[in-house]
Every structure is written in structure tokens, then in C-alpha cells.
Amino acid sequence: YPGARLTQNMLSRIIFSSITVHPGGLINHSDNRNTSTRRYVVNLKALNDFTLMAGSSITVDGLGYSGGYGPGKGAIDSYIGPGAGHGGQGGESYFGTAGGEAYDSLANPTDLGSGGGGSGSIGASGGGAVILAAGGTMRLDGRISANAGGCSGAYCGGGAGGSISINSENLLGTGILQANGGGGTPYGGGGGGGRIAVNTFESNNSSLTATAISASGKTNFGTWYAGAGTVYVNDGGAARLTVSNGANPAAYQTTISSAIAGTQALAISTLSLTNSRLAFDNNVGIMVSSVSFASGTNVLTVGSMAVHGGLTMPNNASLIQNSTETLVFTGSVVMKAGSKFAHTANSAERSAV
């Protein structure tokens, strides 16, 4: 009801017959501060229907790992902090301290966003985690937000976006899902985007707006953005993966290992990149029906890939191979001016062509 609040202070799933959040209602979880142990998430299941009405929200902004904590934490150094990673890699600090790495599941993320680095422990907190399930129809017309928190001091590294995981038989609604990284203060690195996954088992007739973009680390000499997060949507077996940094240029990668993918053979119907640097390690083979390079500069790094159709490489798009496997295209490959094919560097042994 209006003004009602539910705060979850545990990890275990809470099960209800049905759930309705009215306008003005809020669901969140307790703060996971000063620990690298995941203690609190929003973890709810409706045996029947779950409704998040317009004007209501599930908000866990800045409730993830605090500065210097988490699997993708930004380093705590003597001066300037890098950004934290989660879905995307964190941005490095002005003096070159590397940002935090990617982690968590692509298809069913449940972890918190990591905290940024800094001097002492002043890095920004990451976003929290929202895990929702419904045995019937889930209607999302409100807002679900797992954004990173803001920096509170100078030379602070940004926190990483958190997780939003949706599992439902049927899905409706026009709501907003966000798991965005946080910005670093001058000379600190930006926080990487988080992870969003939407899995439906019968029908998905929603038109949700989902973003998991990174944030920037700003210096007097320019603005550097971290790696974009991931948005994974599976409508009963037809998976779509979107890696988008919006209008922000991505200076750092979104890395997907076999542990993150949960498989060594990842099947995707549509892969879409916008201003991103997406890198699959050479233990992950990709089978994809369509690859879309949208606006901005995009770099796709793969070891093994089969595209069931053609590929058009627009201006400022790059395809880089990190193995000696054969890339397969069943249709025409068109390279526009400014696009390129390349491979990663070889050392003493031939490892990429």
C-alpha cells in the first residue's frame, strides 16, 4: 500500500501466495556494508502472480558491497582508487591501478555489485541484488533499481552495478530495470555495469526498459568509462544478449568466461553491442543467429563462433579472434569502411590467427 515498506535482512527466499506492490510501496534489503560476504538480498517468490504497480519500486541502490569489498572490488591503495567490476570490468585509476574484474552468472545473477577502491576505504558501494520469481504471471510496471552508490570523498573509485534476476512463467509490463555502475570522483576509475537477467518459460509480452551501463571516472584530461554490464533475456529457449554502454564509450571490457556463461557452448539468438568491448574467452564457443553492432565503437573478441547467417561490420566495429579455431558464417560477411578483423597477439606458440 502507499508508503508501505518491506526490508529483507537475510538471503533466504521468502515465499507468498501472491505479491502486489501498490503505488508508493517500496521493497529493499539491508546494507551489506564492510564485508565481502553476501548477507542481504531481495529474494521473493509468488506461487501465483507478482504485480509491481506503476509508482512502486524495488530499490537496492548502493546496498551492495561497500568500498574495497567484493569479488570485483577496486583496490585500496595509498592515493587514488580504481572502479569496481561486476558485469563489466571496472575502470583503472589515473595512475594505472587496474579496476575490478567481472564475475557472477550471466543467465541467473544473484551477487551484489562490488565496491570501488580509494585511499583508505572511501570507494563507493556497489548495487544490491534483486531476485524475483513467480509461478504465474509477473507484471512489472514499476521500477527495479540496483545501481551503485555515489562517491563520498576525493579520489574515489566508482562502485559496480548490482543484479536483477527475474524468473516467471509469463511476463507483462512496461517498467524499468537498472543495474548501472557509479562514477568515480576526479582521477578515480568508473564502476562497471551490473547484470540483468529475465527468464520466462511460457510467454514474454512485456516491453521493459533494461540498462546495465557503466559509469565514468573523470580526470582533468578526459573522461574514461568502465565496461558495460550484461542484459540477458531468455524467452523459453530463445536467448538474447545485449551489452550496451548507452552513449558512453567503453574503455574497458565486458568479459564472459565459461564460469560466467555457465557453459562452454553458449547459444544466443541475438547478440547486440552498443559502445562496448565484449570479450568471450577461448573456452566459450558461441552459436548465434544474429550479431548487431549498433552505434559507437564496438569490439567483439571470440575464440569460436558460428553465425547462422551473414554479418555486417559497420564503421568502427572490430572482430578479434583469440584462438586458432575456424569462425563459421553461413551467409555473406560485409565490411564497411573503418571496420576490421584481427587476432590477439601470439607469444612463443601460435595461439591466435
Side-chain angles (χ1 to χ4, degrees):
Y1 291 93
R5 173 180 294 192
L6 170 65
T7 298
Q8 188 164 354
N9 61 356
M10 60 183 179
L11 295 175
S12 300
R13 171 167 284 176
I14 304 175
I15 300 175
F16 299 90
S17 175
S18 62
I19 299 172
T20 299
V21 187
H22 291 264
L26 170 67
I27 297 174
N28 63 11
H29 62 67
S30 299
D31 195 349
N32 290 270
R33 183 162 295 278
N34 298 329
T35 178
S36 286
T37 301
R38 187 177 66 120
R39 292 178 176 173
Y40 313 114
V41 299
V42 170
N43 189 357
L44 303 175
K45 180 177 181 179
L47 297 176
N48 298 293
D49 295 342
F50 189 120
T51 302
L52 186 70
M53 299 177 69
S56 65
S57 65
I58 301 175
T59 303
V60 294
D61 295 349
L63 297 179
Y65 299 111
S66 55
Y69 291 92
K73 65 184 179 182
I76 300 296
D77 62 22
S78 60
Y79 195 44
I80 298 173
H86 183 192
Q89 180 183 358
E92 68 179 24
S93 70
Y94 175 71
F95 289 132
T97 304
E101 297 296 327
Y103 59 96
D104 207 355
S105 168
L106 177 68
N108 286 289
T110 59
D111 214 337
L112 309 164
S114 291
S119 175
S121 58
I122 62 171
S125 296
V130 178
I131 307 161
L132 305 177
T137 295
M138 185 177 294
R139 185 175 189 100
L140 303 177
D141 289 315
R143 182 175 182 268
I144 302 177
S145 178
N147 297 328
C151 282
S152 59
Y155 313 122
C156 162
S163 292
I164 299 174
S165 180
I166 306 293
N167 288 275
S168 180
E169 291 297 314
N170 306 287
L171 185 63
L172 300 169
T174 58
I176 295 173
L177 312 180
Q178 292 183 333
N180 300 333
T185 50
Y187 299 99
R195 295 199 187 277
I196 297 174
V198 177
N199 296 281
T200 56
F201 308 107
E202 288 190 9
S203 67
N204 183 353
N205 294 308
S206 67
S207 54
L208 302 173
T209 300
T211 62
I213 63 175
S214 78
S216 66
K218 298 180 180 179
T219 77
N220 291 340
F221 308 101
T223 300
W224 300 320
Y225 291 87
T230 58
V231 178
Y232 176 93
V233 179
N234 190 330
D235 302 330
R240 307 188 300 277
L241 176 60
T242 300
V243 181
S244 171
N245 231 18
N248 305 330
Y252 297 93
Q253 287 187 337
T254 301
T255 303
I256 297 181
S257 64
S258 56
I260 291 172
T263 180
Q264 293 183 330
L266 183 63
I268 304 171
S269 63
T270 302
L271 174 61
S272 178
L273 285 74
T274 299
N275 266 330
S276 62
R277 298 173 177 268
L278 175 60
F280 293 90
D281 73 21
N282 56 17
N283 292 317
V284 181
I286 312 163
M287 296 162 286
V288 59
S289 299
S290 172
V291 179
S292 171
F293 294 95
S295 61
T297 299
N298 294 288
V299 180
L300 175 60
T301 301
V302 296
S304 173
M305 182 172 70
V307 180
H308 302 292
L311 177 67
T312 298
M313 300 277 291
N315 183 34
N316 293 328
S318 300
L319 179 61
I320 299 176
Q321 189 165 0
N322 61 7
S323 75
T324 59
E325 298 289 329
T326 299
L327 303 186
V328 177
F329 304 90
T330 62
S332 300
V333 176
V334 178
M335 297 183 67
K336 302 286 184 72
S339 64
K340 70 177 183 180
F341 276 86
H343 62 72
T344 53
N346 290 277
S347 55
E349 297 182 355
R350 189 177 72 124
S351 59
V353 296

